[in-house]
C-alpha cells in the first residue's frame, strides 16, 4: 500500500515554512525522503529509522513517529531552489524491509 | 563513479513492438528495482531483485519481464508494448541488509518511453 502524503500541493513565498506529511497504514521500518525537479531523477534528502529520531539537512529536517506510523518533512525559510515534488518512500517492518513504496508526492512551488 | 546508468534516455515504440530498457550500476549493490512514474501517481514498483538470479514482482508487474544474471545489470523487457505503458521508467539500486538500512536508494536518470 502506498503511503499517503499531504498536502498534494503547496505554494510558498520565499522565506516561508512548510510541512509535508507522510502516513502509512502498516508498521514502518524506515522512511526515505526525496526531492524531484521536473524532468530529473529523484534526489535523496534523508532517511529516518524507527525510533522517533529527527534529522536535518540544511534548513530541511524530518521527524518519524513510529507509533503513529507517520513522518513529517519540515522546510524552513524556503528558498527558490526548494521547488519540486517531494516523495516519501516507506519500508515496512519484516521481510522486504529494503523495498521502498513511494507516496504520490507533494508539489512544492516557491515564488519570489 | 557512474552510479546507476540507464539507456536509452528516450524511446518511441509502436504498439506491439518489444524492447529492453537497460540498467547498470557500478556500486556493487545487491538490491535493484524498476519503477514507473506517471503524472499524479508517484513512483510505482514494477519488479525488483535482491541479487543475481533472484527477482520478484512489485506493485505493477504485468506486461514487464526482468532477469538478473549479474550483480551489475538489471534489464527490463517489454514483450508487446501497449499505449498504457507510456511512462517514465526509473531504475534504482541500494545496499541490502540491516546494517545498510540507513543507506539511500540511488536512481538512474530515467528512460522516457512513448508508445503509439
Amino acid at each position: 500500500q502506498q503511503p499517503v502524503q499531504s498536502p498534494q500541493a503547496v505554494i510558498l513565498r520565499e522565506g516561508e515554512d512548510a510541512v509535508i506529511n507522510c502516513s502509512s497504514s502498516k508498521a514502518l521500518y524506515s522512511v526515505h525522503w526525496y526531492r524531484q525537479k521536473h524532468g530529473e531523477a529523484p534526489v535523496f534528502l534523508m532517511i529516518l529509522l524507527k525510533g522517533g529520531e529527527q534529522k536535518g539537512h540544511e534548513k530541511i529536517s524530518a521527524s518519524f513517529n513510529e507509533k503513529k506510523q507517520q513522518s513529517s518533512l519540515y522546510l524552513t525559510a524556503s528558498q527558490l531552489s526548494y521547488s519540486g515534488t517531494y516523495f516519501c518512500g516507506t519500508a515496512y517492518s519484516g521481510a522486504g524491509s529494503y523495498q521502498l513504496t513511494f507516496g504520490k508526492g507533494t508539489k512544492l512551488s516557491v515564488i519570489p | 563513479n557512474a552510479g546507476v546508468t540507464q539507456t536509452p534516455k528516450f524511446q518511441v515504440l509502436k504498439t506491439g513492438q518489444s524492447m529492453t530498457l537497460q540498467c547498470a550500476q557500478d556500486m556493487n549493490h545487491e538490491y535493484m528495482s524498476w519503477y514507473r512514474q506517471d503524472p499524479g501517481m508517484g513512483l510505482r514498483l514494477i519488479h525488483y531483485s535482491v541479487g543475481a538470479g533472484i527477482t520478484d514482482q512489485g506493485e505493477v508487474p504485468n506486461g514487464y519481464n526482468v532477469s538478473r544474471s549479474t550483480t551489475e545489470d538489471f534489464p527490463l523487457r517489454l514483450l508487446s508494448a501497449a499505449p498504457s505503458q507510456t511512462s517514465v521508467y526509473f531504475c534504482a539500486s541500494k545496499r541490502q541488509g540491516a546494517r545498510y538500512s540507513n543507506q539511500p536508494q540511488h536512481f538512474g536518470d530515467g528512460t522516457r518511453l512513448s508508445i503509439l
Side-chain angles (χ1 to χ4, degrees):
Chain A
Q1 297 93 328
Q2 277 185 303
V4 178
Q5 287 186 234
S6 63
Q8 291 184 346
V10 59
I11 299 174
L12 298 176
R13 292 198 177 275
E14 273 187 292
E16 291 183 337
D17 302 339
V19 180
I20 300 172
N21 299 304
C22 175
S23 298
S24 171
S25 58
K26 295 173 63 175
L28 293 174
Y29 182 80
S30 64
V31 180
H32 300 219
W33 285 97
Y34 288 81
R35 176 172 61 208
Q36 184 181 33
K37 294 193 180 281
H38 184 69
E40 299 180 4
V43 173
F44 171 74
L45 292 176
M46 64 189 76
I47 293 173
L48 298 101
L49 302 177
K50 62 180 182 179
E53 67 176 292
Q54 189 152 348
K55 278 196 169 182
H57 176 75
E58 298 179 346
K59 294 181 181 177
I60 301 174
S61 62
S63 62
F64 179 19
N65 189 318
E66 184 184 350
K67 289 184 179 179
K68 293 186 177 180
Q69 295 167 183
Q70 60 185 220
S71 176
S72 295
L73 187 70
Y74 306 95
L75 300 99
T76 58
S78 58
Q79 306 168 12
L80 294 176
S81 61
Y82 285 4
S83 292
T85 301
Y86 290 77
F87 293 98
C88 67
T90 51
Y92 301 112
S93 298
S97 59
Y98 41 78
Q99 184 178 318
L100 288 184
T101 303
F102 286 89
K104 293 184 178 182
T106 296
K107 185 175 182 179
L108 177 73
S109 301
V110 181
I111 58 176
Chain B
N1 210 3
V4 180
T5 302
Q6 289 185 238
T7 56
K9 293 191 184 303
F10 303 93
Q11 185 70 48
V12 179
L13 291 179
K14 293 182 179 179
T15 297
Q17 286 185 317
S18 63
M19 83 158 295
T20 300
L21 308 185
Q22 301 291 344
C23 175
Q25 52 93 7
D26 61 359
M27 297 173 282
N28 203 31
H29 286 171
E30 300 89 350
Y31 179 75
M32 296 185 73
S33 55
W34 277 101
Y35 294 88
R36 61 176 289 174
Q37 186 173 36
D38 304 295
M41 298 298 291
L43 294 152
R44 292 185 291 169
L45 184 65
I46 304 171
H47 285 285
Y48 65 95
S49 168
V50 298
I54 305 170
T55 63
D56 206 346
Q57 296 180 351
E59 180 187 357
V60 288
N62 293 339
Y64 308 94
N65 280 351
V66 292
S67 60
R68 183 101 178 264
S69 57
T70 67
T71 299
E72 295 78 18
D73 300 301
F74 190 44
L76 178 72
R77 297 184 185 85
L78 285 72
L79 297 179
S80 179
S84 61
Q85 294 178 303
T86 293
S87 188
V88 180
Y89 292 85
F90 287 100
C91 178
S93 73
K94 185 182 183 307
R95 289 302 303 267
Q96 184 187 316
R99 64 183 293 188
Y100 302 112
S101 57
N102 62 345
Q103 297 297 305
Q105 184 162 257
H106 298 261
F107 284 87
D109 288 337
T111 294
R112 284 144 186 83
L113 181 63
S114 294
I115 300 167
L116 307 177

